[in-house]
Amino acid sequence: MFPEAFCHSLRKTLFATLGTLLLLSSAAAAAHAQTSNTTLLVDIDHRAATSLDGDWHTIVDPYSTGLYNFHHEIKADGYFMNGTKAYNGEPLEYNFALSPTLKVPGDWNTQRRDLFYYEGVLWYEKDFKYSPKPNTHTFIHFGAANYRSHVWVNTKAVCEHEGGFTPFDCDITGVVKDGDNFVVVAVDNTRSADGVPTLQTDWWNYGGLTRDVSLVDVPTQFIDDYDLHLSRADHSLIEGYVHVKNATPGTDVTVSIPELHATTHATVDANDRAAIKLPVKSLSLWSPDNPKLYKVNLAAGSDHLEDDMGFRTIETHGTEILLNGKPIFLRGVSIHAEAPYRTGRAYSEKDVDTLLGWAKDLGCNYVRLAHYPHDQRMTRASDRLGILVWSEIPDYWALQFDNPAVLAKSKQQLGEMIRRDRDKASIILWSVANETPDTEARTKYLTTMANLTRQLDPTRLVTAALLVKTQKTATGSVKIVDDPLGQALDVIGTNEYIGWYEQKPAGADTTTWDIRYQKPVIMSEFGAAARAGHHGPATERWTEEYQADVYKHQIPMLNRIPQLRGTSAWVLMDFRSPMRTLPGLQDNFNRKGLISDQGEKKQAFFVLQKAYKDKTLGKAQ
Ligand code: GCB
């Protein structure tokens, strides 16, 4: 099937394309670069696309046999060849067509019992028909694949990507052909010390093609990025840029908002960018009370895009957060991308409707999307529903802060998150980290990240969830917020678990806060665990009564923090975590949800709901 000469040339192509990067084992991953030749198409959900979702053939490959021979050299006839017969006509030792299928999108862990704990390489294969059109570029788009991915189309390596929660696009122009085609993807969710996130996380390491996959055609010159936002200084001016890939300088770019009878023309400069200034009259500003979205049309050469965008400003003034110039308090909850009812990684419109519906019911005007970028449906829906969003990258706990290769991975994920979602009015906060250790290397690393965030998006606020110090006093305790990282942030996030990891719930009554920054503060996490339906006295841990009691004591304490401008209770719904093993109570779920994974509202939900709906928690000024 594969003559020797062909194998040689394939080997050469592979090495030429990917160098020594095609290393799927976790040890090899340490030396692994992040991304090669991937483009990130923005507003992808508004482009015409051919979905590749559905059944994909899969091969579980814990030893990376699909890639390496017995001396750990890259094979010329690996699984990416999608072959069936060896040189002597005998069947090869794999066969995609005979192998079981998994649904895409979807993590593998919750689709097959034997994959529940699986961490390693899993190969996906799908056949598809295609007719290339003249003067177009063709991309294969991945909404997300956790964690490392290598993609081949018709046996050719087309791209690789590292990072489990951000999208990537492989240019397959010239590789995809008229008629029958196939794509093979090796996804590896092996955790590694130099990964982002790293070895330890309090969430399930769901592997696989966890979000949509599609084929997208664009004209040779195409809009691959843009930033259009309301000027902070002038609420009748939308400004920003449109980036046109492969543009010739002078190419005309048009941006218009028909409903506002507003149109502007600009030309692409030597950096493929057209600077945009679009004056608008009688703009209805986006806010939770008025989630007004406008149809925005963008055109460059033969490429046209439409987006649904809201326009608003967000800034801080002293210890206030100003939305459209007015102080606001963020009544919120943290949410993991865990699917309600069925568990697994959330991806569908239905998942989003359920999660954000619950957040609305709780009385939220804000959500913290923890601890990584969620599916784009989540931020689109937040735009529509008028929910303000904190979005973060998985710079979580103890990354290798002294490793430049890790910093490069964080930067890449930050760039991908911002690029995908900067058209969403709902997002007001980019978070660069959660509960990281206070070391010099960490502060340097995350200050670099905060500065990069501002450089990539000067229109939003930069935050991080910090750890706080506790000092005993004669009357109780004081929580000190002096993490040096605070200097690099616009808004300080702090996590605390009085009543759960420390003290009794009533410990909150005698706790005061000493915040060493004159900046707005968000209590980005607080809470306690309870198993839904488990009842008892309020003094008994794991009962709904105990969890509710924690909230009852938290609310007055939170109200005594003068610069508190938001709260995102931990957490909306129970979620799977391998760290939570207690039989009968946890069973591999973090039970700090206000709602169980089966949709049962716990008593604490109603305590917080009352405070949010009566507006008895928090002040905007
Ligand atoms: C935290 C982490 C979060 C955990 C939570 C908990 O501080 O930020 O990821 O899940 O505590 O439940 O312990």
Side-chain angles (χ1 to χ4, degrees), residues 345-376:
R345 184 64 68 232
Y347 57 76
S348 69
E349 214 58 70
K350 196 167 167 228
D351 295 337
V352 165
D353 287 350
T354 306
L355 291 168
L356 292 182
W358 284 336
K360 276 277 195 191
D361 187 17
L362 186 60
C364 295
N365 62 4
Y366 147 73
V367 293
R368 175 185 178 197
L369 300 183
H371 279 299
Y372 39 75
H374 289 210
D375 191 283
Q376 177 159 222

Side-chain angles (χ1 to χ4, degrees), residues 42 79 141 172 182 240 266 272 291 316 394 480 482 520 545 612 614 621:
V42 297
Y79 293 178
H141 170 78
I172 57 170
F182 65 88
D272 294 350
T316 63
I480 302 165
D482 66 351
E545 287 74 6
Y612 280 168
D614 297 349
Q621 280 171 298

Side-chain angles (χ1 to χ4, degrees), residues 293-312:
L293 300 177
Y294 289 96
K295 290 259 174 256
V296 179
N297 296 320
L298 300 96
S302 60
D303 197 19
H304 299 269
L305 262 182
E306 187 185 84
D307 203 346
D308 299 299
M309 295 180 71
F311 297 95
R312 51 99 195 100

Side-chain angles (χ1 to χ4, degrees), residues 114-129:
D114 57 326
L115 295 177
F116 185 60
Y117 287 105
Y118 183 63
E119 294 188 311
V121 177
L122 192 139
W123 294 79
Y124 287 87
E125 188 277 337
K126 191 166 181 75
D127 298 331
F128 61 94
K129 292 217 186 290

